[in-house]
Amino acid sequence: MILTVTLNAALDLTYRVPALRPHTSHRVTDVAERPGGKGLNVARVLAALGHEVTVTGFTGGDTGRLIRERLTGAVDAFVPVRGSSRRTVAVVDARTGDTTQLNEPGPLITPAEWSAFLAAYEELVAGAEAVALCGSLPPGVPVGAYAGLVRTARTAGVPVLLDTSGEPLRRGVAARPDIVKPNADELAELTGSHEPLRATQDARRRGARAVVASLGSEGLVAATEEGRWRATPPARLRGNPTGAGDSVSAGLLSALAEGLAWPDRLSRAVALSAATVLSPTAGDFDRTAYEDLTNRVTVTGEATAA
Amino acid sequence: MILTVTLNAALDLTYRVPALRPHTSHRVTDVAERPGGKGLNVARVLAALGHEVTVTGFTGGDTGRLIRERLTGAVDAFVPVRGSSRRTVAVVDARTGDTTQLNEPGPLITPAEWSAFLAAYEELVAGAEAVALCGSLPPGVPVGAYAGLVRTARTAGVPVLLDTSGEPLRRGVAARPDIVKPNADELAELTGSHEPLRATQDARRRGARAVVASLGSEGLVAATEEGRWRATPPARLRGNPTGAGDSVSAGLLSALAEGLAWPDRLSRAVALSAATVLSPTAGDFDRTAYEDLTNRVTVTGEATAA
């Protein structure tokens, strides 16, 4: 079983409007609704790849109930809280395809709720083959939360991937996660460098055992104990990048769980990410495209001398 | 009991953001949530004024359940439908105070559901002292719906107010409602005239027994069988106009139910509307301001010679 943690789970709404004009009224022509937050997106892709997945984090209130009712393909191990889970609204401008994002803040987590989560997490980690810690922290959760969750997984000998940003990422990296997966902005914020190769190396020196940076349409750069690689899709892709980063995390974890070497992990992650961009539904991946792309990703680089 | 009809009831979400910038991501700093749709807004104000109120229309799905759970002060006579009630999102830019509105379309009403509503409505009207028909029609409801509902009320001898727009207003007016309450844009669309005094007269000729046009901060103009009046608040008001039009409807119905003459109905409607603009919460009215304003509204005009 792979465990994904979504501390700030959401009900993601996608609204299509003919054209977004601030300070006017819009008729929404199409409404889509599904559970979200990065950890739940990762879980959905892992389940589609055939993995057993358990999801945890916090859910509460009416929105929390809707999130749980709509979970498919994953075992629900969410910890209930008194506050109400958040909604997010993505407003897609049908004319340009651009998205305007509105994110509710999420429930205030009490110290007792955080303790209940830590106990549940420790038990779940013991039965997991890998753990993904993903996304922002809801109010009330300590900023060093991910560092503690990384240490718990490492103590249990379970590989752990961290995908977050800002201070939670900075603190989490120092706890030595197996993989961190920042995008270019998050990597630059962490390291102060806008040069991805240099920045991934720098992020490793800060504690991460492997750093996989997602560079959008240019693919991935990875710095690991076993070597450094760059993995690129066969062609520049047009489509909706929503969820592409979560598909990278799912691809890395899936390949790790199957015992694949780093170049194959990166190929899978790039193919899944590209197949997510190509999917007509935001955050889903196009299975035919994925199977077609898997052998067409270019991985260059070198393994560290043994 | 006053009956308000909301065929396209909604769960209204209000999101406050520091500044709305299209095609970027926003942290929502404040979330408010409550039942909406014009008929429910009118019902809330009527209940606050001490009237017994029954609300009907359609609700369905998870959002419909949330609307019903959050009703206060009114008897719930909603007709359940298979589709899902809509949400609306009002995004308030904290910098400018401007609002960007996103409206989901509402559930598709089947012919059987529409028939079930008509039967329920006829029974409710028989016990009502006045009826308010408010807002847009959900998909599937015939465009002449309000005309039929007006006729049912008139046959039962119950005064009926209509507040809608476009073709449903045009058809509804022809069925001779006791009061129509368009705003300046709706009135111009109905009559082709942008001159409010002329347009209210024209709207009467189209069938409405009384036309009360809301002109925003300039108050109301009314053309009735008993005379023509203009009612204006004591000063130009700064605040949030959301719900001010619904407070006009509530004021007119409340005063009608109490048997007040037209000038007093208009005073109450303007005072309530102004007290809604002054309220810190969108769509609520400031009771102290309302009581203070009631005697300070200027009503000019003349009664028709008896």
Side-chain angles (χ1 to χ4, degrees), chain A residues 84-106:
Chain A
S84 183
S85 294
R86 65 191 177 128
R87 284 164 292 221
T88 75
V89 180
V91 184
V92 179
D93 184 319
R95 206 184 28 161
T96 62
D98 284 324
T99 298
T100 303
Q101 187 74 35
L102 302 160
N103 297 326
E104 296 186 10

Side-chain angles (χ1 to χ4, degrees), chain A residues 15 23 62 65 100 104, chain B residues 15 23 65 70 87 100 104:
Chain A
Y15 284 175
H23 314 321
D62 292 310
R65 191 175 38 71
T100 303
E104 296 186 10
Chain B
Y15 284 175
H23 316 320
R65 191 174 38 69
R70 283 159 177 67
R87 284 164 288 220
T100 303
E104 296 186 13

Side-chain angles (χ1 to χ4, degrees), chain A residues 11 13 15 28-34 65-66 69-70 87, chain B residues 6-11 36 57-68 78-88 103-110 113 136-141:
Chain A
L11 187 68
L13 308 180
Y15 284 175
V28 176
T29 55
D30 192 66
V31 181
E33 182 177 321
R34 73 160 173 212
R65 191 175 38 71
L66 296 178
E69 283 173 6
R70 282 158 178 68
R87 284 164 292 221
Chain B
T6 316
L7 294 175
N8 211 357
L11 186 68
F58 297 111
T59 51
D62 291 311
T63 301
R65 191 174 38 69
L66 296 178
I67 291 169
R68 298 178 83 149
F78 273 104
V79 173
V81 293
R82 193 142 185 282
S84 183
S85 294
R86 65 190 176 127
R87 284 164 288 220
T88 74
N103 297 327
E104 296 186 13
L108 178 66
I109 306 302
T110 66
E113 288 165 347
S136 62
L137 303 177
V141 169

